[in-house]
């Protein structure tokens, strides 16, 4: 951004792509790093936290930024690929400054920070946070009713203190388009206090999706900070196998208390999954595959497959069973693959096109045998059937991968890239 160019509000920078001079994308902006200064002097903007293609988060000094315009950031092309670590004197702008409750110096009125603006200083390469966009009135649900205004940084006070009432609405709005895995990455890098605030502000379904992508320690920490009734609601919204895995990390007393608070049907599914050994088909399976009765049609099957909340693996096939059609079902008759559904007329009965030659898994099938089964039959999911012939659930390839990878693979994914850096480090940068 050239000197004298318009200021940029930081919410517009969240998630924007970062390009090198040749036009190749090297990552995306995930936060900004600022250093607060004494008195009412505007904070100095030190650089950007950039998530590179390998999902490692690195520090990009503002001295290496040559342009901020049209929804993109242009760099010199030379990056320090060392993982970013926040220093005590630094503040993450999106993660720590937005949603704070501060006061207007002139009137003493308490306001909520919705956004801040950065601008490059004339004739220099330094950047500052020079404006604050605030809303008057109370925070929380009533905040939308207050007047908004943009003021100079020096016109507000309260950023330098720990803010116990900091909300999360602006931060959530900034990252609302992120996939659950990417939002989990954001939460993992926040402080425990901020992580709890953001988790509390997410709705149950969104939080459930994000919890499924977090390391075990983060899951337990977040769940433990929720009210018990809310924690039970979130567990109900999770896939039963993921909820069972999370509950297995808790002390027995806490586990039973939460199961008692859950809806009986959901709790029964989770208890059933917890009764199997962890590294078996029964312990890996989900209890919510697509189950159809023999008199269902291809049109019925395709309507079920189109449900938005289904994972691609579960949508790859439907399982035909006699009533009841909730797991554990009546007699399992076979599987119909998605490609077969696309080839037959909509009025065709699924019972007439079922694949009954594919052997199902028993719930005590060990993980290596489950892996071999999926590989041998080129499957992304497999039926799990008990001795009486009832369908208990389905094992999906993503559940198998979760248990084949090292136990700390999520932490490794978030913290360190397994890919060796291809670029030379910047010499002399603040985080080099």
């Amino acid at each position: 951004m050239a000197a004298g160019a318009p200021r940029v509000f930081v919410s517009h920078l969240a998630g924007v792509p970062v390009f090198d001079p040749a036009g190749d994308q090297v990552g995306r902006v995930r936060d900004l790093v600022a250093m607060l200064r004494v008195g009412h002097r505007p904070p100095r903007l030190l650089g950007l936290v950039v998530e590179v293609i390998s999902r490692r988060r690195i520090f990009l000094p503002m001295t290496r930024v040559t342009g901020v315009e049209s929804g993109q950031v242009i760099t010199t092309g030379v990056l320090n690929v060392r993982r970013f670590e926040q220093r005590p004197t630094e503040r993450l702008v999106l993660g720590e400054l937005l949603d704070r409750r501060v006061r207007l110096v002139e009137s003493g009125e308490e306001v909520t920070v919705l956004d801040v603006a950065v601008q490059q200083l004339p004739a220099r390469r330094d950047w500052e946070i020079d404006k604050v966009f605030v809303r008057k009135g109370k925070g929380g649900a009533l905040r939308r009713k207050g007047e908004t205004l943009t003021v100079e940084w020096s016109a507000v006070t309260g950023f330098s203190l720990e803010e116990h009432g900091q909300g999360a609405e602006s931060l959530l709005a900034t990252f609302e388009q992120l996939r659950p895995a990417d939002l989990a990455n954001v939460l993992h890098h926040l402080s425990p206090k901020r992580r709890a605030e953001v988790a509390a502000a997410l709705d149950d379904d969104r939080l459930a999706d994000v919890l499924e992508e977090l390391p075990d320690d983060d899951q337990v920490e977040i769940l433990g900070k929720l009210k018990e009734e809310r924690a039970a609601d979130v567990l109900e919204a999770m896939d039963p196998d993921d909820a069972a895995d999370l509950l297995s990390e808790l002390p027995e007393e806490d586990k039973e208390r939460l199961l008692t608070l859950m809806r009986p049907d959901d709790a029964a599914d989770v208890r059933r999954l917890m009764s199997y050994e962890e590294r078996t088909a029964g312990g890996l399976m989900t209890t919510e595959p697509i189950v159809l009765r023999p008199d269902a049609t291809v049109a019925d099957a395709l309507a079920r497959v189109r449900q938005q909340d289904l994972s691609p693996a579960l949508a790859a096939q439907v399982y035909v069973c006699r009533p009841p059609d909730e797991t554990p079902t009546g007699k399992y008759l076979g599987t119909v693959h998605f490609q077969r559904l696309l080839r037959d007329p909509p009025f065709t009965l699924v019972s007439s096109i079922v694949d009954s030659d594919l052997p199902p898994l028993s719930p005590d099938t060990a993980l290596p045998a489950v892996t071999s089964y999926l590989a041998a039959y080129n499957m992304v999911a497999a039926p799990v059937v008990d001795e009486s012939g009832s369908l208990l659930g389905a094992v999906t390839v993503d559940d198998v991968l979760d248990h084949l990878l090292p136990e700390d693979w999520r932490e490794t994914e978030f913290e360190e890239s397994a890919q060796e850096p291809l670029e030379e480090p910047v010499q002399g940068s603040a985080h080099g």
Side-chain angles (χ1 to χ4, degrees):
M1 176 188 269
R7 63 182 49 86
V8 179
F9 281 92
V10 298
S11 62
H12 298 161
L13 292 177
V16 303
V18 179
F19 295 95
D20 64 19
D24 295 324
Q25 183 174 339
V26 296
R28 288 187 178 274
V29 176
R30 291 306 183 205
D31 217 319
L32 299 87
V33 183
M35 183 173 66
L36 300 182
R37 296 196 278 197
V38 177
H40 296 297
R41 295 176 62 196
R44 181 177 168 223
L45 188 64
L46 302 178
L48 308 175
V49 179
V50 176
E51 185 177 289
V52 295
I53 304 303
S54 59
R55 297 189 69 177
R56 176 185 294 187
R57 292 191 171 208
I58 66 170
F59 178 74
L60 174 63
M62 292 308 294
T63 54
R64 299 287 173 175
V65 174
T66 59
V68 181
E69 53 192 19
S70 302
Q72 62 184 12
V73 172
I74 308 298
T75 77
T76 59
V78 182
L79 301 178
N80 183 335
V81 293
R82 184 178 301 169
R83 179 169 57 87
F84 167 70
E85 292 184 5
Q86 186 179 357
R87 295 175 177 175
T89 57
E90 298 170 346
R91 296 292 181 268
L92 296 177
V93 178
L94 295 174
E96 298 181 67
L97 300 189
L98 299 193
D99 295 301
R100 274 187 180 273
R101 298 288 290 167
V102 297
R103 292 188 182 276
L104 298 176
V105 173
E106 184 175 344
S107 65
E109 182 178 0
E110 195 174 39
V111 294
T112 301
V113 178
L114 303 183
D115 211 341
V116 297
V118 298
Q119 190 170 40
Q120 190 174 18
L121 299 180
R124 295 166 58 189
R125 303 189 73 179
D126 287 345
W127 294 67
E128 286 184 344
I129 297 177
D130 67 335
K131 299 285 186 181
V132 186
F133 181 53
V134 301
R135 187 184 299 276
K136 293 184 177 181
K138 297 181 179 180
L142 299 178
R143 60 184 294 193
R144 297 177 181 274
K145 298 180 180 179
E147 173 193 356
T148 58
L149 64 157
T150 301
V151 298
E152 299 288 339
W153 176 269
S154 59
V156 297
T157 182
F159 280 108
S160 60
L161 301 176
E162 177 71 12
E163 179 54 66
H164 296 288
Q166 186 178 8
E169 291 85 353
S170 294
L171 183 61
L172 289 177
T174 299
F175 293 117
E176 66 179 346
Q177 299 303 320
L178 291 183
R179 291 175 178 268
D182 294 326
L183 183 52
N185 196 358
V186 171
L187 259 66
H188 180 76
H189 286 88
L190 294 177
S191 66
K193 170 181 174 295
R194 194 68 165 129
R195 184 158 52 237
E197 290 168 346
V198 173
L202 292 169
D203 65 54
D204 292 348
D205 289 336
R206 181 73 158 155
L207 180 54
D209 290 341
V210 172
L211 280 178
E212 293 170 2
E213 304 296 338
L214 281 168
D216 293 345
D217 289 347
D218 288 347
Q219 290 183 348
V220 172
E221 173 197 305
I222 290 173
L223 196 73
K225 292 183 178 179
L226 300 176
K227 292 182 178 179
E228 287 189 341
E229 292 77 7
R230 171 95 200 278
D233 291 340
V234 172
L235 287 167
E236 290 170 357
M238 295 176 70
D239 288 338
D241 52 326
D242 291 308
D245 290 342
L246 174 50
L247 284 169
S248 67
E249 300 291 327
L250 302 180
E252 192 66 31
E253 182 179 337
D254 295 341
K255 180 195 312 179
E256 282 303 318
R257 189 162 54 247
L258 288 171
L259 283 167
T260 301
L261 290 171
M262 292 174 65
R263 288 191 297 261
D265 288 349
D266 292 318
D269 286 342
V270 173
R271 288 183 188 277
R272 182 152 50 90
L273 289 169
M274 293 173 66
S275 69
Y276 298 110
E277 291 293 330
E278 181 181 2
R279 299 173 71 84
T280 64
L284 296 171
M285 70 182 179
T286 176
T287 56
E288 297 178 342
I290 303 176
V291 178
L292 293 170
R293 298 186 182 191
D295 58 353
T297 64
V298 165
D300 296 327
L302 290 174
R304 294 284 300 278
V305 167
R306 281 196 294 268
Q307 291 178 4
Q308 188 173 357
D309 58 348
L310 276 178
S311 69
L314 281 181
Q317 59 274 304
V318 300
Y319 303 102
V320 182
C321 306
R322 298 200 183 280
D325 48 11
E326 297 286 339
T327 58
T329 68
K331 182 177 175 57
Y332 167 73
L333 301 178
T335 301
V336 182
H337 305 283
F338 176 64
Q339 285 184 320
R340 182 63 190 267
L341 294 174
L342 295 177
R343 291 197 297 263
D344 283 87
F347 53 79
T348 305
L349 296 179
V350 292
S351 57
S352 68
I353 56 173
V354 70
D355 180 356
S356 56
D357 295 329
L358 187 70
L361 296 169
S362 66
D364 58 355
T365 305
L367 176 60
V370 174
T371 306
S372 299
Y373 178 99
L374 294 175
Y377 294 108
N378 296 316
M379 302 284 286
V380 294
V384 180
V385 174
D386 65 13
E387 293 180 351
S388 68
S390 298
L391 180 72
L392 301 176
V395 176
T396 60
V397 67
D398 55 315
D399 293 322
V400 171
L401 286 174
D402 278 348
H403 287 76
L404 289 179
L405 291 167
E407 288 188 5
D408 63 346
W409 75 269
R410 292 191 188 277
E411 288 95 335
T412 303
E413 178 189 22
F414 288 161
E415 300 293 349
E416 296 288 350
S417 167
Q419 176 180 333
E420 290 297 322
L422 300 178
E423 297 167 292
E424 293 296 322
V426 175
Q427 298 300 320
S429 73
H431 286 258

